[in-house]
Amino acid sequence: MTDKAGLTRLTGSGDGDDTCGQGDCPNVYRTDRGTFVVQGDRFTGFQPPDGEGLVEIPEGVLREAIRALGW
């Protein structure tokens, strides 16, 4: 997804485990439909069904997303 319209970036503020420096990954986004998009390194532990994908992100990124949502 190159178009980020309708996405709210929840991570990448530098407070979490930002393994890409000040870059654009890994990150967690919330869509305008209330779902989440996770951006990170491709995980190859098993093959998901067609149309699905797996990514692996650091724990700090998830913690940052949770803080951004106030959970």
Side-chain angles (χ1 to χ4, degrees):
M1 172 187 284
T2 57
D3 181 12
K4 293 183 183 174
L7 296 179
T8 301
R9 187 173 173 169
L10 300 176
T11 58
S13 67
D15 295 338
D17 183 10
D18 193 358
T19 60
C20 291
Q22 294 301 314
D24 199 28
C25 68
N27 278 300
V28 178
Y29 300 88
R30 187 173 196 173
T31 71
D32 54 5
R33 296 181 314 279
T35 60
F36 296 91
V37 175
V38 178
Q39 175 185 354
D41 294 329
R42 187 178 304 260
F43 179 76
T44 58
F46 68 91
Q47 181 64 41
D50 287 343
E52 296 182 6
L54 303 168
V55 296
E56 186 172 9
I57 62 172
E59 179 181 330
V61 174
L62 289 178
R63 289 183 181 277
E64 185 180 351
I66 289 167
R67 280 193 304 272
L69 291 169
W71 293 354

